[in-house]
Amino acid sequence: MTETSRSDERRHTAETAETMADVRYEIDRLDRILVGLLQERQSFMNAAARIKGSRSIVHDRDRIEDVVTKVLAEADIQGLSRAIAEPVWRTLIDRCIAYEFEAFDALKPGRDKA
């Protein structure tokens, strides 16, 4: 990879970007950061699969709604559109639950298999 493609140095803000190259550089930089954050979040799905004693508690509707409520409150504070935040987090949660089921099954084969 080139130095530019791996650099995480911020060069512009939304207000100072003047070209599409500026915008794309910052989006690519942010995407690299987001991938790292999502990988960290995923690692906690592995921890949850290890800690939970039953496969039946992997999907927790009350917890899902709690997470979405907290995310929407934070989105309001930080100025992120709810129209972006809610579907992104609901999809993220859905995929994380699917991943956690896989992790649970890999760690505890046959336990609580529905």
Side-chain angles (χ1 to χ4, degrees):
M1 290 194 188
T2 65
E3 181 180 314
T4 303
S5 67
R6 290 301 307 155
S7 175
D8 285 332
E9 180 182 327
R10 183 177 182 167
R11 295 182 183 173
H12 308 280
T13 66
E15 292 75 26
T16 65
E18 294 181 2
T19 67
M20 283 309 299
D22 295 344
V23 169
R24 289 178 179 141
Y25 173 88
E26 295 303 334
I27 289 172
D28 291 346
R29 180 185 65 79
L30 290 166
D31 284 346
R32 286 190 299 276
I33 293 167
L34 287 169
V35 167
L37 292 171
L38 290 172
Q39 184 284 324
E40 182 178 359
R41 191 182 199 285
Q42 175 185 286
S43 75
F44 285 99
M45 299 303 98
N46 292 325
R50 177 178 44 81
I51 293 166
K52 289 179 180 175
S54 172
R55 191 178 196 276
S56 65
I57 62 173
V58 170
H59 187 270
D60 181 345
R61 184 161 308 284
D62 290 339
R63 174 63 178 150
I64 293 167
E65 294 311 314
D66 180 54
V67 170
V68 171
T69 297
K70 290 174 183 174
V71 164
L72 292 177
E74 188 63 25
D76 291 343
I77 291 167
Q78 294 199 36
L80 175 62
S81 166
R82 284 174 165 243
I84 293 173
E86 186 165 3
V88 167
W89 257 267
R90 287 196 184 275
T91 300
L92 176 61
I93 292 166
D94 179 62
R95 297 292 74 223
C96 285
I97 290 168
Y99 179 87
E100 187 180 334
F101 274 122
E102 291 175 12
F104 186 95
D105 292 343
L107 289 169
K108 303 167 188 176
R111 186 179 303 172
D112 283 348
K113 199 71 173 178

